[in-house]
Each structure stands twice: as C-alpha cells, then as structure tokens.
Amino acid sequence: MINNKTSDNQILASISQDEYKILFSNLEYVSLISGQIIYKQDQKIDYVYFPLHSMISLVSTLLNKATIEVGLIGNEGLIGLPVFLGGNYATNDTIVQIPDSAMRLDADIFLAESRRPGELQRILLLYTQARLSQISQNAVCKCHHSINQQLANWLLFAHTSVDQDELPLTQKFISQMLGVRRASVTEVAQKFQKAGIIRYTRGSITILSRDLLRSVSCECYDVVKGEFKRLLNFT
C-alpha cells in the first residue's frame, strides 16, 4: 500500500503501489492557497488533484452572482472527476476553501491509467457512486432540514475533510456555500458557541465537541459517510 504523503488521501492510500507504478511516479506534490481557483466552469481539465489536508468546494454561480456549494471534497476524494467520466471539462467553479496541499497528476496520464481494468478503475467507479449519493442527499437536506442541521452537517464534513479542529472559515463564506443569509449563519453559530459545540472568532471556527455537533445534525451526514464506508471502506 502507499505510504508517505500520498497515504493522506484515501483514494491513493487504497491502491497497490506495485500495480500503479506509472501513476505514482507521475504524482506531484503541490501547495494550495485559500481562494485558489483550480478550475473555472467549462474550463478544460489539465490536471486532477488528490487533496491531502485541504478542503475544496465545487461552486455553482447564478446569473445574479449568487453562489451555492454543490460539492465538498477533502482527503476522501479527487478533483477532476469529469476526466474519468469522459467529459474533460469542469462543470463548476472549483475553489480551495481550506488551504494545505494535494497530489497533482496530469489528466492524460490519469485517464490512461483509469481505463485499465484493475483496482484504480474499481475504486473510481465506487467513488463516483458515493459522490452521486452525496449530491442527492445534499439536495434533500437543503429542502427538508433546518439551517441548524445544515450548518452542523457542513461543519462535520469540513472537519472530516481536513482532519483538524480549527477551520479557517468565515460566516460570510459559509452562508454563500449554504445559500442562506449571513445573519442566519451568525444566529446559529452563536447558539452553537453558547452550547459549547464550537468557538468562533473572525475568520476561524474551532470544533470543540464533535459529538455535540453530531447531536444537532440530521441524518444526512451519517447517510453520506455510510455510503463511503460501505462502498470504499473510507472513514
């Protein structure tokens, strides 16, 4: 199995190094900065990225400039799935929200290796299924669950994505990702802080109790994480 830096990404850690020597020999370690746009919508994808401890959002922007997050990807996934599916172009803006690092791979090499029958192809097919489940569950959550529950779920996913308690996030950014008013996020954040769930300062939210955060979330987090566990045995 993969060790060193690549083991921090669960897809890379699941693949046999002997079977995919070409893939791993072409991986490049890159640093990502907050706000970095990896792809713009409709941009051709030249590289795929495997996040290590960064968090990356897939963001849809409407004609009135309103934004909403349609996907949240951390160390359980990859950026550039359209390459594997044959589309080759980004379907959303792809923006680094929590900076750290990733392993980068040329899209043509990735596509060639992913087309070979084997472990990589199997994992990518299962990952695609898990990601589709996440997108559909997020749609359900936004329609039927409270802002309290949505924020709790989002913070749980963010916490899991980067595996750290302190998250460099603003309430304005979170409101944009959830597609709600900033005042609503501020109100819920104050409730969470009084309950000892989080601590927030300007530009930073710290998870104080993951158990308490889960207690105020809805079932959507467990549904999505359950699919990643069932299909891929990802934590």
Side-chain angles (χ1 to χ4, degrees):
M1 303 301 289
I2 301 306
N3 48 38
N4 61 52
K5 292 174 181 174
T6 63
S7 64
D8 290 334
N9 179 276
Q10 296 190 67
I11 289 180
L12 295 179
S14 301
I15 303 169
S16 166
Q17 188 168 12
D18 291 335
E19 187 176 3
Y20 296 104
K21 289 181 180 179
I22 296 177
L23 176 70
F24 297 130
S25 65
N26 287 281
L27 285 169
E28 176 188 5
Y29 179 87
V30 294
S31 295
L32 303 177
I33 61 175
S34 180
Q36 178 179 343
I37 298 176
I38 295 179
Y39 320 124
K40 291 290 290 182
Q41 184 175 337
D42 299 325
Q43 177 184 336
K44 187 177 186 296
I45 298 174
D46 295 320
Y47 295 93
V48 299
Y49 294 77
F50 298 87
L52 301 178
H53 294 285
S54 53
M55 188 182 81
I56 300 168
S57 293
L58 306 180
V59 178
S60 180
T61 303
L62 303 179
L63 290 177
N64 64 1
K65 305 302 181 182
T67 61
I68 189 167
E69 183 182 77
V70 296
L72 177 66
I73 301 170
N75 63 12
E76 83 295 339
L78 67 92
I79 309 301
L81 190 60
V83 175
F84 174 63
L85 299 176
N88 299 324
Y89 285 81
T91 55
N92 304 99
D93 291 343
T94 306
I95 305 171
V96 177
Q97 305 298 358
I98 296 181
D100 187 78
S101 54
M103 304 304 295
R104 188 173 76 170
L105 180 66
D106 180 89
D108 291 335
I109 295 174
F110 171 75
L111 180 60
E113 293 302 307
S114 66
R115 284 179 171 174
R116 296 184 184 184
E119 188 68 7
L120 176 61
Q121 186 181 86
R122 185 187 71 84
I123 289 173
L124 290 174
L125 287 168
L126 292 173
Y127 173 76
T128 302
Q129 181 177 339
R131 184 60 66 194
L132 289 172
S133 296
Q134 182 184 45
I135 292 170
S136 62
Q137 195 66 40
N138 284 349
V140 171
C141 191
K142 290 182 185 299
C143 290
H144 294 286
H145 293 146
S146 68
I147 294 177
N148 294 37
Q149 293 170 314
Q150 291 181 46
L151 178 58
N153 282 339
W154 194 90
L155 290 174
L156 284 168
F157 280 120
H159 185 249
T160 301
S161 292
V162 298
D163 193 27
Q164 64 186 44
D165 293 334
E166 186 174 353
L167 308 174
L169 299 167
T170 65
Q171 293 177 29
K172 178 181 179 181
F173 160 72
I174 294 173
S175 68
Q176 291 173 334
M177 294 302 98
L178 294 179
V180 300
R181 296 184 305 113
R182 179 178 177 178
S184 299
V185 172
T186 299
E187 181 181 349
V188 176
Q190 289 173 346
K191 291 179 182 178
F192 285 2
Q193 181 160 263
K194 289 179 180 179
I197 300 172
I198 66 171
R199 178 177 65 249
Y200 71 86
T201 56
R202 185 177 180 85
S204 178
I205 294 178
T206 302
I207 308 298
L208 299 178
S209 174
R210 185 177 172 87
D211 288 339
L212 286 177
L213 192 60
R214 293 192 70 168
S215 72
V216 295
S217 67
C218 57
E219 72 269 24
C220 295
Y221 176 80
D222 288 331
V223 169
V224 172
K225 296 305 294 184
E227 277 296 277
F228 275 90
K229 178 70 174 178
R230 180 181 72 84
L231 293 169
L232 295 154
N233 200 32
F234 285 2
T235 56

